[in-house]
Amino acid sequence: MQSKKQFVIVLAILIAVLAISVPAFLIVPSAKEEVLVSKFPMQIGEWKGKDLPVEENAYEILETRNLILREYTRGSSKVYLYIIYSQDNRKVSHPPEVCLEGSGITVVKTQKIPLELAGARQIVANKLTVEKAGINNIIVYWYKAGEYYFDNYLKQQMKVALASLQFKRTSGAMIRFSAEILPTAPNKAMEDIKVFVKEASAYFSQIIP
C-alpha cells in the first residue's frame, strides 16, 4: 500500500515536470517578438514616463530585450514600472525576490493583497516591503498568462505549459510596480501605486495580450 502511494506521488511529479518542460520542444521560438512592451504609453493620464537604463547582463540572464523599466511621475508622486514579456520563453517571468536579494536588497515583509485594475477587475497581487541602505520601498507584482492574472509563479507557468501542450501559444509576463516609502508620508507609496495601477492596467490587454 505504501509503495503504491509513493508510486502515485512520483507519477504526479513526473507529469508536472513534463507539463512544464515538454512545451519547450513543441513550440519553436519566434525569431522576432510580435508584441513589444516598449510600445506601452509614456503618457498615462497625468503620469509622464521616462525609460531607465537596464544593464546588459540583465538582458543576457533574462534571454530577452522585450522589457521596460520606467519612472512615471505625477506632481510629487513617483512610481516605477517594470514589465517583462515573452511570447514563448517562460524563463522571463521569474520571481523577483531572487534578484532583489542577490543585489543586496532585504525583503522585510511579504503579503498577498487585493488590487483593482481598470474596469473594476479585481486581482490578488504580491506586496513586498524592501530595504537597502536605509531606504524603504514597496513593490507590488503579479504574473500574466494570456488573459489570466496570477499571484503565484508556478500557477502561471503551469497555465503556459498546459496551453502549449494543446498547441496553443500563451504569452507570459511579469508586471511590477514600486515606490519609495517616505518617512513623512508612509502610506503615500501604496496609495500612488494603487492609483497608477488602475490607470496603467487599461493598456494591459492591448500591449501585453
Side-chain angles (χ1 to χ4, degrees), residues 82-116:
Y82 173 73
I83 300 176
I84 181 166
Y85 173 93
S86 180
Q87 291 165 199
D88 44 39
N89 183 353
R90 293 180 295 102
K91 284 180 65 177
V92 302
S93 53
H94 62 280
E97 288 91 333
V98 177
C99 292
L100 292 172
E101 293 174 352
S103 60
I105 296 173
T106 301
V107 178
V108 178
K109 187 177 182 180
T110 63
Q111 297 172 267
K112 300 287 185 182
I113 62 167
L115 205 59
E116 184 176 349

Side-chain angles (χ1 to χ4, degrees), residues 67-158:
L67 60 87
I68 58 170
L69 176 59
R70 287 187 186 158
E71 173 190 279
Y72 282 87
T73 57
R74 186 191 66 173
S76 63
S77 298
K78 185 181 295 184
V79 176
Y80 297 90
L81 171 63
Y82 173 73
I83 300 176
I84 181 166
Y85 173 93
S86 180
Q87 291 165 199
D88 44 39
N89 183 353
R90 293 180 295 102
K91 284 180 65 177
V92 302
S93 53
H94 62 280
E97 288 91 333
V98 177
C99 292
L100 292 172
E101 293 174 352
S103 60
I105 296 173
T106 301
V107 178
V108 178
K109 187 177 182 180
T110 63
Q111 297 172 267
K112 300 287 185 182
I113 62 167
L115 205 59
E116 184 176 349
L117 306 185
R121 181 171 184 174
Q122 300 287 331
I123 67 167
V124 175
N126 299 287
K127 177 186 175 184
L128 308 179
T129 303
V130 302
E131 183 272 336
K132 183 177 182 179
I135 298 174
N136 295 281
N137 284 265
I138 285 177
I139 295 174
V140 174
Y141 75 92
W142 63 91
Y143 306 97
K144 191 172 186 290
E147 63 181 300
Y148 299 96
Y149 295 89
F150 301 92
D151 63 311
N152 183 281
Y153 171 72
L154 291 178
K155 287 181 180 179
Q156 183 228 29
Q157 294 291 289
M158 288 298 293

Side-chain angles (χ1 to χ4, degrees), residues 27-36 63-66 86-89 169:
I27 292 182
V28 179
S30 306
K32 184 178 181 181
E33 294 271 17
E34 298 169 6
V35 176
L36 298 176
E63 297 184 6
T64 183
R65 303 185 78 87
N66 200 357
S86 180
Q87 291 165 199
D88 44 39
N89 183 353
R169 173 167 286 165

Side-chain angles (χ1 to χ4, degrees), residues 21-75:
S21 60
V22 168
F25 299 95
L26 295 178
I27 292 182
V28 179
S30 306
K32 184 178 181 181
E33 294 271 17
E34 298 169 6
V35 176
L36 298 176
V37 294
S38 59
K39 294 181 179 179
F40 205 84
M42 278 288 192
Q43 181 87 31
I44 299 176
E46 297 179 355
W47 297 87
K48 296 180 180 180
K50 71 172 182 179
D51 285 316
L52 300 177
V54 177
E55 294 182 3
E56 193 63 33
N57 67 334
Y59 291 123
E60 294 173 1
I61 293 171
L62 296 168
E63 297 184 6
T64 183
R65 303 185 78 87
N66 200 357
L67 60 87
I68 58 170
L69 176 59
R70 287 187 186 158
E71 173 190 279
Y72 282 87
T73 57
R74 186 191 66 173

